[in-house]
């Protein structure tokens, strides 16, 4: 292994050439605390030698282009810091010489065609790093940040600019000198595997690294891409990272709990991983492929998209999306993820039928609606129950065993359902809609109101028709509130119906008699039509009576669907 390590300053490092952050690296995640501490350390050692650690690069010392293996958080922060100072020189002090001195030596360089190129370039999806931070002068308009890395980069730049703009120009010059004189060890080794091996050695204790960082670098050390596809691992890892987004630790924990072990913590994860890879017969390429496949399923669980499940030959698969959306988006249940991952994986590998997939999701949907969405029951014990059944399903030897396991699982959660009296007690405080607000509880209550009415409509439609473009409508308008029609009555489920958005915009705040006429003429929803068809007067008694019927009907329907 050809390794070169040279002690140098930040200034010497930036004069080495171009540095590229590969797209498989973790997102930039330094927050204000880390950056504040970094600046404080520099300022407190402004006239002293100060060492900022090793930087590991894929490349040879004689090269002019290096790929960052270790040190991307620090080299990114240094670049942001110098960009902020450059912009302060320009905007606050109007000093073009100092501005250009930083810009032309430590942010950009010129190639042989006299064209600017950034000294630090990222292959990650961070256009704002160049637009918002590096560019000078800055463009008039910026795109919106699309991920956590970009948000952290913008926050870091804004924090540094706001903090340092208060310094006098002479103090800023001292700070620049101190930054450029910071000492580091520049480690260069040609080849990804060699560079990652060095990284693992230097970070053997894992300080300041997440277990995901350690696992990634161990994988990059072990994995040998075929000569025909030298970037095979990088491409796979890029997809894996894209699938889990900023939830890397959660994905790996979910992955592990769905396959190997019920109880696993962040602190013990890397140890568990090293035990797994040391077992005879372990194949790193198969492991990466498992991560790749499961990361796609994980993404489908966290962000349910209808198009992932609909096809012309099997339209009832839309129910998969419907139930996933309810469990993850409407109810926001997180503890179930390991089981969902194992369940959908089993279906994709044809170890369970679509019938059992939908049946199990339907049971989860109705169970969590009663116990958690409405009754706010704590999920004590489920942090073990779900992974244990996930692992049993994963280890099922054939389809029959898998179906038997799912049947046992459903029988177990049926026994845990809460009674009707508890459901009635909490319902009105959990399900309501008055007006759109930014409050989380109000938005969740509105989503539950929509869920309840949609669910009853789907039953009337025999679960064969799905509706889009629907909205909630108050039969008694929110604009007329008095001693008779109080807010609690107007916002309750008994006063709400579903309508096509087009119809909803037509009837607005019209009185009930006019709303009824439009609904009977143009509405296509069975339940909405049934509410108004035989009702001449809509008063508080009508609202209360209908509300009581809906609550009991929803409980009965949910129990039946849970067992079906």
């Amino acid at each position: 292994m050809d390794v070169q390590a040279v002690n140098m300053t930040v200034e010497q490092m930036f004069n080495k050439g171009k540095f590229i952050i590969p797209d498989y690296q973790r997102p930039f995640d330094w927050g204000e605390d880390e950056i504040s501490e970094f600046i404080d350390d520099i300022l407190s050692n402004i006239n002293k030698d100060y060492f900022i650690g090793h930087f590991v690069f894929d490349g040879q010392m004689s090269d002019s282009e290096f790929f960052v293996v270790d040190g991307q958080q620090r080299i990114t922060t240094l670049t942001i810091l110098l960009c902020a100072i450059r912009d302060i020189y320009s905007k606050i002090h109007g000093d073009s010489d100092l501005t250009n001195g930083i810009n032309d030596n430590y942010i950009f360089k010129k190639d042989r065609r006299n064209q600017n190129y950034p000294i630090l370039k990222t292959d990650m999806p961070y256009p704002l790093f160049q637009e918002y931070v590096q560019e000078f002068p800055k463009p008039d308009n910026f795109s919106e940040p699309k991920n956590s890395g970009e948000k952290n980069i913008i926050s870091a730049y804004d924090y540094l600019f706001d903090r340092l703009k208060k310094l006098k120009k002479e103090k800023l010059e001292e700070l620049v000198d101190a930054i450029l004189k910071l000492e580091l060890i520049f480690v260069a080794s040609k080849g990804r595997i060699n560079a990652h091996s060095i990284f693992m050695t230097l970070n053997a204790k894992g300080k300041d690294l997440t277990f995901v960082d350690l696992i990634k670098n161990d994988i990059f050390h072990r994995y040998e891409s075929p000569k025909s596809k030298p970037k095979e691992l990088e491409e796979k890892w890029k997809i894996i990272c894209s699938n889990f987004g900023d939830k890397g630790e959660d994905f790996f924990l979910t992955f592990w709990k769905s396959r190997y072990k019920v109880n696993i913590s962040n602190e013990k994860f890397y140890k568990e991983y090293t035990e797994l890879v040391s077992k005879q017969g372990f194949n790193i390429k198969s492991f990466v492929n498992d991560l790749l496949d499961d990361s796609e399923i994980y993404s489908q669980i966290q962000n349910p998209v209808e198009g992932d499940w609909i096809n012309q030959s099997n339209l009832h698969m839309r129910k998969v999306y419907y139930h996933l959306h309810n469990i993850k988006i409407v109810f926001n249940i997180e503890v179930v993820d390991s089981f969902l991952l194992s369940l959908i994986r089993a279906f994709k590998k044809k170890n369970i039928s679509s019938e059992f997939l939908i049946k199990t999701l339907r049971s989860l949907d109705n169970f969590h609606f009663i116990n958690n969405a409405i009754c706010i029951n704590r999920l004590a014990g489920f942090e073990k129950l779900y992974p244990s059944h996930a692992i049993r399903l994963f280890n099922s030897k054939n389809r029959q065993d898998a179906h038997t396991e799912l049947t046992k699982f459903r029988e177990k959660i049926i026994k845990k359902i809460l009674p009707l009296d508890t459901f009635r007690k909490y319902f009105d405080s959990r399900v309501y809609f008055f007006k759109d607000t930014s409050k989380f509880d109000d938005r969740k209550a509105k989503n539950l109101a929509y869920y309840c009415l949609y669910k009853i409509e789907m039953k009337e439609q025999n679960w064969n028709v799905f509706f889009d473009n629907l909205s909630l409508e108050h039969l008694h308008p929110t604009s007329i509130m008095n001693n008779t029609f109080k807010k609690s009555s107007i916002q309750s489920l008994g006063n709400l119906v579903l309508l096509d958005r087009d119809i909803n915009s037509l009837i607005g705040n019209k009185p009930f008699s006019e709303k009824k006429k439009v609904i009977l003429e143009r509405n296509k929803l069975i339940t909405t039509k049934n509410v108004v068809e035989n009702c001449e007067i809509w008063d508080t008694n009508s609202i209360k009576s209908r509300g009581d019927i809906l609550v009991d009907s929803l409980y009965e329907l949910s129990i039946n669907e849970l067992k079906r």
Side-chain angles (χ1 to χ4, degrees):
M1 184 187 298
D2 182 18
V3 182
Q4 295 172 291
V6 177
N7 186 60
M8 63 176 63
T9 64
V10 165
E11 183 171 27
Q12 290 170 326
M13 177 178 70
F14 280 136
N15 284 325
K16 285 288 293 176
K18 178 189 288 188
F19 297 90
I20 300 169
I21 299 174
D23 54 14
Y24 58 78
Q25 287 277 20
R26 67 170 171 166
F28 180 75
D29 61 5
W30 273 22
E32 187 174 314
D33 290 344
E34 292 88 354
I35 292 169
S36 176
E37 183 180 357
F38 189 57
I39 285 291
D40 289 343
D41 288 344
I42 296 172
L43 289 171
S44 61
N45 292 278
I46 206 159
N47 294 314
K48 304 173 187 176
D49 294 336
Y50 188 67
F51 179 66
I52 59 171
H54 296 80
F55 287 70
V56 181
F57 303 99
D58 178 359
Q60 292 181 331
M61 197 63 71
S62 58
D63 290 344
S64 59
E65 184 173 283
F66 302 88
F67 290 88
V68 181
V69 174
D70 184 27
Q72 70 118 334
Q73 304 288 327
R74 286 166 289 158
I75 197 171
T76 303
T77 301
L78 287 166
T79 299
I80 296 171
L81 176 56
L82 289 168
C83 288
I85 295 173
R86 173 202 62 189
D87 295 343
I88 292 168
Y89 278 149
S90 174
K91 295 178 181 179
I92 307 298
H93 301 293
D95 193 320
S96 60
D97 289 336
L98 291 174
T99 299
N100 294 330
I102 292 180
N103 191 68
D104 298 343
N105 289 287
Y106 311 115
I107 314 297
F108 292 97
K109 288 286 180 71
K110 292 188 181 292
D111 60 22
R112 62 184 180 182
R113 294 184 177 85
N114 203 38
Q115 299 297 308
N116 277 347
Y117 67 86
I119 292 173
L120 180 63
K121 178 180 180 294
T122 176
D123 285 344
M124 302 177 82
Y126 292 169
L128 281 179
F129 179 60
Q130 184 163 354
E131 294 175 14
Y132 194 86
V133 178
Q134 290 177 301
E135 281 293 328
F136 182 82
K138 306 231 180 280
D140 294 332
N141 299 304
F142 302 103
S143 55
E144 290 293 320
K146 295 181 174 61
N147 49 60
S148 62
E150 284 199 327
K151 291 176 183 176
N152 290 332
I153 285 169
I154 290 172
S155 296
Y157 174 87
D158 290 344
Y159 168 76
L160 289 168
F161 187 93
D162 289 341
R163 176 172 173 175
L164 300 179
K165 72 181 180 181
K166 302 168 188 174
L167 299 179
K168 293 181 179 180
K169 186 164 70 170
E170 293 74 18
K171 191 66 176 178
L172 271 181
E173 290 184 64
E174 286 184 26
L175 177 58
V176 172
D177 288 340
I179 293 167
L180 297 177
K181 290 177 182 176
L182 291 171
E183 295 185 0
L184 57 96
I185 294 179
F186 190 107
V187 182
S189 183
K190 192 68 174 177
R192 169 178 50 76
I193 292 177
N194 291 339
H196 281 274
S197 178
I198 295 165
F199 170 88
M200 293 300 293
T201 302
L202 292 174
N203 293 281
K205 294 182 180 180
K207 292 182 178 179
D208 300 324
L209 296 173
T210 69
F211 67 81
V212 178
D213 296 323
L214 295 172
I215 290 172
K216 182 200 78 172
N217 283 285
D218 185 75
I219 289 171
F220 272 72
H221 172 58
R222 295 173 184 272
Y223 195 108
E224 291 189 26
S225 295
K227 292 181 179 179
S228 59
K229 294 181 179 180
K231 294 286 186 180
E232 180 179 82
L233 177 57
E234 284 87 343
E235 290 169 1
K236 288 182 178 181
W237 196 262
K238 181 180 178 181
I239 296 170
I240 292 169
C241 291
S242 175
N243 284 335
F244 65 59
D246 58 359
K247 294 184 175 181
E249 292 185 6
D250 182 71
F251 164 66
F252 273 88
L253 289 168
T254 302
F255 172 84
W256 211 264
K257 290 177 182 179
S258 73
R259 291 170 173 265
Y260 307 121
K261 195 169 183 179
V262 171
N263 289 320
I264 181 74
S265 66
N266 292 30
E267 292 74 22
K268 295 182 179 179
F269 198 103
Y270 187 65
K271 181 176 180 292
E272 294 282 344
Y273 165 79
T274 56
E275 291 176 0
L276 176 69
V277 300
S278 64
K279 290 181 179 179
Q280 186 175 4
F282 176 82
N283 185 296
I284 192 65
K285 292 191 175 183
S286 296
F287 182 76
V288 170
N289 287 334
D290 289 341
L291 287 173
L292 182 63
D293 293 341
D294 278 11
S295 71
E296 180 181 350
I297 298 171
Y298 177 83
S299 177
Q300 291 174 340
I301 292 169
Q302 301 302 321
N303 306 288
V305 176
E306 200 172 41
D308 289 338
W309 301 103
I310 296 177
N311 61 70
Q312 293 301 317
S313 61
N314 200 355
L315 290 176
H316 83 291
M317 286 298 291
R318 183 171 179 174
K319 294 175 185 176
V320 176
Y321 162 75
Y322 171 74
H323 295 305
L324 279 178
H325 175 82
N326 294 335
I327 296 164
K328 294 301 299 175
I329 306 303
V330 181
F331 309 152
N332 193 30
I333 307 297
E334 295 181 354
V335 71
V336 72
D337 287 357
S338 60
F339 183 76
L340 289 176
L341 178 57
S342 187
L343 179 70
I344 296 173
R345 180 201 302 130
F347 170 72
K348 287 180 178 280
K349 291 184 177 295
K350 302 187 185 304
N351 293 335
I352 64 171
S353 66
S354 61
E355 177 188 355
F356 265 82
L357 171 66
I358 293 170
K359 184 187 295 187
T360 308
L361 287 173
R362 183 173 64 233
S363 294
L364 287 168
D365 180 340
N366 287 279
F367 172 80
H368 285 295
F369 168 62
I370 293 175
N371 276 35
N372 308 110
I374 303 301
C375 298
I376 329 175
N377 191 45
R378 290 180 64 248
L379 285 164
F382 280 83
E383 71 280 356
K384 293 181 180 179
L385 184 145
Y386 279 129
S388 63
H389 282 280
I391 293 169
R392 287 177 204 159
L393 180 59
F394 174 66
N395 290 326
S396 296
K397 295 178 180 179
N398 52 53
R399 179 175 278 204
Q400 183 177 351
D401 286 350
H403 286 176
T404 300
E405 170 58 33
L406 292 179
T407 300
K408 291 178 180 178
F409 167 76
R410 293 178 67 237
E411 290 171 352
K412 188 172 289 188
I413 64 171
I414 287 170
K415 293 177 182 178
K416 295 179 179 290
I417 205 73
L418 293 175
L420 175 58
D421 286 347
T422 307
F423 187 78
R424 287 172 175 162
K425 175 182 176 182
Y426 288 103
F427 192 88
D428 284 345
S429 65
R430 302 290 289 167
V431 182
Y432 58 86
F433 172 56
F434 189 70
K435 291 181 179 179
D436 286 316
T437 75
S438 58
K439 293 181 179 179
F440 175 79
D441 287 345
D442 290 346
R443 287 187 282 114
K444 187 168 185 178
K446 178 185 177 182
N447 288 337
L448 285 173
Y450 185 98
Y451 167 89
C452 291
L453 295 175
Y454 191 91
K455 182 175 188 170
I456 293 174
E457 179 65 29
M458 290 297 294
K459 175 182 177 291
E460 294 297 322
Q461 301 277 357
N462 293 317
W463 305 94
N464 290 322
V465 180
F466 288 86
F467 296 96
D468 299 311
N469 201 36
L470 299 180
S471 64
L472 289 169
E473 169 64 13
H474 298 85
L475 289 178
H476 179 85
T478 57
S479 59
I480 305 175
M481 192 164 55
N482 50 44
N483 290 333
T484 302
F485 283 97
K486 298 179 180 180
K487 182 179 179 181
S488 59
S489 179
I490 296 171
Q491 71 179 9
S492 69
L493 192 68
N495 188 48
L496 298 172
V497 293
L498 286 177
L499 287 176
D500 283 319
R501 290 186 186 276
D502 294 340
I503 300 175
N504 203 336
S505 62
L506 281 176
I507 60 180
N509 285 324
K510 292 179 180 179
F512 175 74
S513 58
E514 294 184 38
K515 288 185 177 183
K516 175 180 177 179
K517 181 179 179 182
V518 175
I519 289 171
L520 292 177
E521 287 178 354
R522 304 187 58 169
N523 166 68
K524 61 186 177 185
L525 302 176
I526 297 171
T527 51
T528 302
K529 182 180 179 182
N530 288 345
V531 174
V532 302
E533 194 167 33
N534 299 313
C535 187
E536 298 300 327
I537 299 174
W538 190 252
D539 55 19
T540 53
N541 289 331
S542 305
I543 295 173
K544 178 69 169 59
S545 175
R546 177 173 177 250
D548 290 343
I549 292 171
L550 283 174
V551 172
D552 287 7
S553 297
L554 281 163
Y555 185 85
E556 181 183 1
L557 173 59
S558 298
I559 293 294
N560 291 338
E561 288 297 298
L562 176 59
K563 296 178 179 179
R564 180 158 69 95

